[in-house]
Amino acid sequence: KEREVFYSCYKNLNNKSFLIGTFPFLSYRTLSHWRENNLLPDGVEPVGWHKFSFVEVIWVYVVKRLRDFGFPLEKIAKVKKQVLEFDKKNKRYPLFEFYLVLALTTGEDPYVVVLPDGTANLVTSLELEGVKQFSKIENDFLLISLKSILRERGFKVVDPAILLPQTRREYEALKVLRSKDNSETKVKSKNGKIYEIETSENHHEKPAINAVLKKMMQNGDFGEISLKLEKGVPQSVQTIKRRRL
């Protein structure tokens, strides 16, 4: 059933059934200015009546959001090039369509992510969490929610799925899993409940087993310490810590 709903959305995404009156904030003068600066979707005809598909309507709202945040026209054109790639043969915007349908029909919460230099991408909230954890993003970034635009247009969208852990145990396990200090993490559970987390950490630089032992004792850790030697010379210290929840 979900698949039928998903694909039925695609049938109506590219029908050119919207005119400039669709946008309460857009005058003919502004429209012409945006077209001259390459902000309008590539599938919008440059002459005659400007007719927009549903996908193109949502993009115009994205442009409006970016202008409200003070983005210059040249950077918005750069954003468009990255997230609204036009398939000339099929006259579609496959990537943008995909995330738009996710926003309409699923609990995924898709965003247009824009960095200050105009670098941009389309991600779901779950993908965004992965980017934040495993990529080094040193700058702040702007998030434009496709669900919020759809709601503004009067659509009833599926509420976004909750990403935060449901229990304190899950939160603590997630915090340990995201730690950059651990080389390996094991989570033990019973009847669907986490009861123990085991982490191992390798110390390669100037391993001093006494210093590691002292730190574990001060922290009140439970676990084990092992020392690796080569020809009698210490090479690394490994600590295994166990935490009961």
Side-chain angles (χ1 to χ4, degrees):
K1 184 178 179 181
E2 290 182 357
R3 182 176 295 181
E4 292 176 3
V5 173
F6 193 87
Y7 283 104
S8 67
C9 290
Y10 276 112
K11 296 179 181 179
N12 300 314
L13 288 178
N14 294 290
N15 293 332
K16 299 281 188 175
S17 55
F18 299 92
L19 299 175
I20 189 173
T22 299
F23 312 105
F25 52 82
L26 194 59
S27 66
Y28 282 101
R29 182 177 180 180
T30 302
L31 181 71
S32 177
H33 187 52
W34 285 7
R35 184 183 64 243
E36 291 171 0
N37 286 274
N38 197 29
L39 305 190
L40 294 185
D42 293 338
V44 175
E45 296 295 333
V47 295
W49 290 98
H50 290 83
K51 293 184 178 180
F52 298 82
S53 68
F54 183 73
V55 176
E56 292 163 346
V57 167
I58 301 303
W59 168 253
V60 172
Y61 273 83
V62 172
V63 175
K64 174 63 164 56
R65 294 281 205 279
L66 291 170
R67 291 298 290 151
D68 288 345
F69 279 101
F71 262 69
L73 301 180
E74 62 272 15
K75 285 189 178 180
I76 298 177
K78 183 179 177 180
V79 172
K80 179 194 127 181
K81 186 177 181 180
Q82 296 169 87
V83 305
L84 199 72
E85 184 177 354
F86 184 54
D87 180 351
K88 292 182 180 180
K89 181 179 179 181
N90 298 299
K91 296 183 178 180
R92 294 176 55 184
Y93 309 85
L95 182 64
F96 199 80
E97 285 178 27
F98 175 75
Y99 281 89
L100 187 55
V101 173
L102 286 181
L104 277 166
T105 64
T106 74
E108 296 283 2
D109 197 5
Y111 295 92
V112 179
V113 182
V114 186
L115 273 64
D117 65 356
T119 301
N121 208 338
L122 286 158
V123 297
T124 64
S125 49
L126 185 60
E127 291 169 339
L128 181 61
E129 285 300 308
V131 170
K132 289 192 295 185
Q133 291 302 318
F134 300 109
S135 300
K136 293 182 179 180
I137 300 180
E138 298 179 353
N139 296 317
D140 293 329
F141 51 84
L142 175 66
L143 297 178
I144 299 176
S145 168
L146 296 184
K147 279 189 184 290
S148 71
I149 293 175
L150 290 167
R151 288 194 183 99
E152 184 177 338
R153 290 288 304 162
F155 284 87
K156 185 178 181 181
V157 298
V158 178
D159 290 333
I162 298 174
L163 296 182
L164 293 176
Q166 299 300 298
T167 67
R168 182 173 181 81
R169 292 184 179 190
E170 290 174 340
Y171 174 78
E172 292 179 2
L174 185 60
K175 186 167 64 173
V176 172
L177 287 169
R178 288 177 171 174
S179 173
K180 297 179 180 179
D181 296 329
N182 304 323
S183 59
E184 185 179 12
T185 302
K186 297 179 181 179
V187 178
K188 296 182 180 180
S189 65
K190 186 176 182 179
N191 297 325
K193 294 184 178 181
I194 298 171
Y195 68 88
E196 184 179 279
I197 301 174
E198 179 183 293
T199 60
S200 63
E201 182 179 355
N202 294 317
H203 309 264
H204 294 286
E205 296 182 1
K206 297 181 181 180
I209 194 167
N210 290 333
V212 174
L213 175 61
K214 182 178 180 181
K215 184 177 180 180
M216 289 186 68
M217 292 176 65
Q218 289 175 341
N219 294 337
D221 293 328
F222 294 85
E224 304 169 7
I225 300 176
S226 60
L227 177 65
K228 183 179 179 180
L229 302 172
E230 286 187 11
K231 296 182 179 181
V233 179
Q235 297 297 312
S236 65
V237 175
Q238 183 187 60
T239 57
I240 297 177
K241 301 177 184 179
R242 298 182 182 90
R243 182 178 180 185
R244 289 267 180 172
L245 300 178

